[in-house]
Amino acid sequence: MGEAIVITSGKGGVGKTTTSANIGTALALMDKKVCLIDTDIGLRNLDVVMGLENRIIYDIVDVIQGRCKLKQALIKDKRFDYLALLPAAQTSDKTAVTTDGMREIVAELKQEYDYIIIDCPAGIEQGFQNAISGADRAIVVTTPEKSSVRDADRIVGLLEKEEMKESPRLVINRIRNHMMKNGDMIDVDDIVQLLSIDLIGIVVDDDEVIKASNKGEPIALTPNSKASIAYRNIARRILGETVPLQSLEDDKGVLKRLKRFIGMRA
Amino acid sequence: MQDKKQIITIKGTREGLSLFIEESATYRDAMKELHEKMMASKPRRDEPIVSVKVKLGNRYLTEEQENELRRVVSVDNRFKIDSIESELIRIEDALKWQEDSEIKAVNQIVRSGQVLEIKGDLLLIGDVNPGGKVISTGNIYILGNLFGIAHAGFEGDHDSFIVASYMKPTQLRIADYISRAPDYESDGVYMECGFIDGQQDKIIIDSLKVLSRKRREISGFERRMNNG
Ligand SMILES: Nc1ncnc2c1ncn2[C@@H]1O[C@H](COP(=O)(O)OP(=O)(O)O)[C@@H](O)[C@H]1O
Ligand SMILES: [Mg+2]
C-alpha cells in the first residue's frame, strides 16, 4: 500500500510544481514506484516541467467523468519505468473534479505505487480541497517572504483540521544567502519557529532550477547542483532516513542554528 | 384586614430609606401595599428627593415586575431608587456569570485566518501568529508570542487587559479601544501587558509591575463581583 503526499502552499509561484517534480524524480531515482498527479486544473504545468507534455492523451477530468480508465490516462516517464504522471485538464471546467473523485483515484493508485505526489493549485478553494482530500501527508512549500509565510501558516491551520497521519512538513524554497545574511529576507530559523512544523528541507534559489524546468529535465536528475542535492535529501527524509542539512544545501552560516530542526523524527 | 401582617417595612437610614418587601406575600399584594405606603410617605415638593434601597429577600422579580416596582416607588419623582437587591439569581444568569468569570485554558497555535473567541478570561498556551485573532470578554493571558490581534473585554469591559510572554501585535483591542503597530519596523517586548490608561484615554503597553498597581483585582471573579 502506497502513501499519498500533497505538495501545497497557499500562495502561487513559490515552487509547488517544481518541488513535486523533483521529489517525484528523486524518489524514482531511489527505485521507488512513483505517480505524480497534477490537480491544477486549467493551469497545467507539471507535464511541462517533467518534459511529458507531448504524450498527453487523456487527463484527470477524463478519468473522473469516465471517458477513459485511470491506467489509460497515466503517462509513463521517459527516464524511469515506474514514474508516471496523471496530468491536469487544460480546458475543462474546474468543478469537474470532486473530493470523492480524487479519493477514488488516489486509492486506486496506492495499490500499485509506493508514493503518490499530488501537486496542489494555489488558493484555499475547491481545488485545494480536492488536492488534499486523498492525501496521507502534506508538505507545505514557502519562500522566505512575509506574504508566502503568512499563506503557509493559513494552509497549515487548514491542514491541521484534516485527518492526516502526521502534521505537515515544511520546505523553504528559493533561499538567497546574501539576502538572508543582510537581513533582507526572513531568517529560516524564524520561519520554522513561526510555523512550528518540522522542516524537511531547504532549497536555494538557483538559476539551474529554471533552466532544468525549461528543458523538461527536473534538476534532481543532475548530480551535483545544490538544489538537486537538496531535493534528493528531501526524498531521503521522506523515506525516513535521518539526513543532516548539508552545507551544500546552503552555506554554513545560516545553517548552524538549524540543526535541531532537522531529522528529529523517526 | 386589620391584623394582617405588614408586607412592606420602611426604615429610615442616614442615606435615605430602606424598603423591605416580605418575601411570603404575593407580588400583587406587595405592589398594592407598596403603592399606599409610598403615597403616604411621599416628601413634599419643597423637600429633597429621597433615595431608596429596595431589599427583596428571597424573591426574584422579572424585568416587567422590576419596571413596575420602579414606577410605583418613584411616585411623582419624589423618590429615587438606589438599588434593588435580591438574594436570588436565575440559573441562566448564574451560569453566564460563572462563564464570564472563568479562566479558560486553550493549548493551540492560532494561525493566520483563525479566530479563537471565548467568554471569560483566556489563557492561551501557544502563539497567535500574524493574521490570527484571539477574542475574550475578560483578560487575555498568552504564554507564547502575540503577533496577530488580541481583543480583550470584547463586551465592553474597559478594565480588562492583555499579557503575553512576547508581544509584537498587529493590533491590540480592549473594549472599544484599538491600537495598532507602528508603521516602521520595531522590536517586540517581553512579558509586558496592554491596558487602557484612563488619563491618556488610550491603550498603552507597560511592564507587569504597573499592571499590579493599576488593576488590583486581577481575578475576573472578584473584578466582576465588584463591578456588579
Ligand atoms: N529553487 C528555485 N530556484 C530558482 N527558481 C525556482 C526555484 N523553485 C521554483 N523556481 C521557479 O519559480 C517559478 C514558480 O515555480 P512553480 O514550481 O511553478 O511554483 P507553483 O507551482 O507554486 O506555482 C518557476 O519559474 C520555477 O522555475
Ligand atoms: Mg504549480
Side-chain angles (χ1 to χ4, degrees):
Chain A
M1 238 332 230
E3 193 171 73
I5 305 175
V6 62
I7 315 291
T8 177
S9 72
K11 196 174 161 70
V14 298
K16 291 177 293 295
T17 300
T18 308
T19 305
S20 302
N22 281 293
I23 289 179
T25 304
L27 285 168
L29 275 168
M30 289 173 225
D31 292 330
K32 295 295 163 195
K33 299 178 183 174
V34 181
C35 183
L36 302 167
I37 305 181
D38 188 349
T39 63
D40 202 346
I41 311 296
L43 291 171
R44 173 167 91 194
N45 271 175
L46 192 50
D47 54 311
V48 180
V49 175
M50 295 297 294
L52 300 172
E53 188 181 15
N54 56 358
R55 295 161 201 230
I56 296 176
I57 297 167
Y58 295 111
D59 57 47
I60 190 167
V61 173
D62 292 325
V63 177
I64 285 179
Q65 296 184 335
R67 280 190 290 272
C68 69
K69 294 220 174 61
L70 176 56
K71 285 230 165 73
Q72 289 175 286
L74 293 181
I75 301 166
K76 199 182 84 60
D77 187 75
K78 12 178 189 179
R79 294 139 294 207
F80 302 92
D81 284 339
Y82 256 111
L83 177 60
L85 168 71
L86 177 58
Q90 190 60 300
T91 48
S92 310
D93 165 24
K94 278 189 189 191
T95 55
V97 183
T98 59
T99 50
D100 286 344
M102 267 305 285
R103 264 191 218 105
E104 264 176 51
I105 289 177
V106 172
E108 196 178 330
L109 290 171
K110 274 159 80 172
Q111 305 293 330
E112 190 169 345
Y113 293 89
D114 299 322
Y115 289 95
I116 323 298
I117 307 292
I118 304 163
D119 183 16
C120 183
I124 54 174
E125 284 82 32
Q126 190 58 41
F128 166 76
Q129 293 300 336
N130 289 339
I132 65 171
S133 62
D136 302 304
R137 295 165 196 262
I139 289 179
V140 175
V141 183
T142 185
T143 60
E145 275 174 87
K146 254 192 191 175
S147 56
S148 169
V149 175
R150 191 71 49 88
D151 290 357
D153 192 41
R154 178 95 178 89
I155 289 295
V156 173
L158 294 173
L159 289 170
E160 280 171 347
K161 295 206 177 74
E162 301 293 313
E163 284 169 21
M164 292 207 187
K165 277 188 191 156
E166 57 171 29
S167 73
R169 301 220 223 166
L170 181 67
V171 168
I172 305 178
N173 190 24
R174 307 201 74 162
I175 290 180
R176 290 194 230 171
N177 226 346
H178 61 282
M179 286 188 81
M180 214 163 260
K181 274 198 194 113
N182 298 341
D184 294 329
M185 259 184 176
I186 321 175
D187 215 286
V188 169
D189 220 359
D190 290 343
I191 298 172
V192 175
Q193 207 195 353
L194 184 90
L195 296 177
S196 64
I197 56 175
D198 286 329
L199 185 62
I200 195 170
I202 58 178
V203 184
V204 288
D205 188 82
D206 186 350
D207 291 348
E208 296 301 318
V209 174
I210 301 175
K211 283 189 210 159
S213 290
N214 282 339
K215 273 191 278 177
E217 294 273 329
I219 189 83
L221 293 166
T222 18
N224 283 323
S225 88
K226 283 180 184 179
S228 168
I229 293 172
Y231 284 121
R232 280 182 274 144
N233 281 344
I234 292 173
R236 288 167 64 191
R237 293 184 191 111
I238 287 174
L239 298 181
E241 279 181 53
T242 308
V243 191
L245 274 180
Q246 302 292 313
S247 56
L248 272 169
E249 282 179 67
D250 202 11
D251 288 338
K252 276 174 195 142
V254 188
L255 282 179
K256 252 181 248 150
R257 288 181 297 160
L258 256 175
K259 296 250 163 66
R260 59 198 162 101
F261 294 117
I262 290 283
M264 298 288 281
R265 61 171 57 224
Chain B
M1 262 297 235
Q2 60 273 35
D3 56 356
K4 203 179 94 183
K5 199 174 163 256
Q6 281 210 82
I7 302 175
I8 309 290
T9 317
I10 300 180
K11 275 195 191 136
T13 66
R14 221 181 313 150
E15 289 90 38
L17 297 180
S18 277
L19 197 152
F20 300 86
I21 303 178
E22 165 56 41
E23 55 191 51
S24 59
T26 67
Y27 173 76
R28 273 291 133 233
D29 290 346
M31 280 303 129
K32 192 161 160 268
E33 190 176 320
L34 182 65
H35 182 67
E36 287 158 12
K37 288 233 161 117
M38 295 319 287
M39 292 306 279
S41 51
K42 185 172 88 175
R44 288 195 315 269
R45 284 259 159 238
D46 53 339
E47 285 173 336
I49 294 173
V50 176
S51 75
V52 183
K53 283 191 167 62
V54 184
K55 312 227 170 183
L56 297 171
N58 290 318
R59 181 193 292 276
Y60 180 80
L61 293 187
T62 65
E63 213 177 297
E64 261 167 57
Q65 291 173 334
E66 192 180 308
N67 288 340
E68 185 180 3
L69 176 90
R70 283 179 189 278
R71 267 198 312 277
V72 171
V73 171
S74 51
V75 269
D76 299 335
N77 293 325
R78 300 315 297 156
F79 295 99
K80 179 180 143 285
I81 291 192
D82 223 25
S83 63
I84 300 176
E85 285 170 25
S86 167
E87 300 294 328
L88 305 185
I89 171 171
R90 285 190 312 163
I91 290 178
E92 201 181 297
D93 293 335
L95 289 177
K96 178 171 187 316
W97 191 39
Q98 188 193 25
E99 186 167 60
D100 283 350
S101 53
E102 267 172 1
I103 294 191
K104 298 209 180 59
V106 179
N107 180 202
Q108 81 168 82
I109 298 174
V110 181
R111 296 184 182 276
S112 179
Q114 296 181 329
V115 181
L116 172 63
E117 183 171 355
I118 62 117
K119 298 260 183 202
D121 292 345
L122 168 65
L123 172 60
L124 177 70
I125 303 156
D127 300 339
V128 182
N129 280 353
K133 191 173 178 183
V134 286
I135 299 172
S136 83
T137 58
N139 301 327
I140 295 175
Y141 310 90
I142 299 171
L143 274 176
N145 302 312
L146 171 56
F147 292 122
I149 297 177
H151 192 168
F154 182 59
E155 283 170 359
D157 185 357
H158 284 202
D159 287 335
S160 55
F161 54 85
I162 300 161
V163 195
S165 315
Y166 180 75
M167 291 222 186
K168 193 174 181 271
T170 323
Q171 280 182 9
L172 286 187
R173 301 184 187 180
I174 296 172
D176 49 347
Y177 287 65
I178 299 180
S179 73
R180 61 166 173 76
D183 288 326
Y184 50 88
E185 189 58 35
S186 62
D187 285 338
V189 289
Y190 289 91
M191 290 302 289
E192 297 218 337
C193 62
F195 54 90
I196 297 175
D197 183 89
Q199 261 139 37
Q200 298 180 52
D201 194 35
K202 65 173 189 184
I203 298 175
I204 59 168
I205 294 181
D206 211 328
S207 68
L208 298 180
K209 255 198 331 260
V210 175
L211 180 72
S212 62
R213 242 179 287 132
K214 299 237 173 187
R215 303 275 186 276
R216 280 184 201 288
E217 303 96 11
I218 244 187
S219 135
F221 188 72
E222 279 172 48
R223 193 174 68 242
R224 281 176 196 86
M225 284 277 280
N226 296 339
N227 294 352

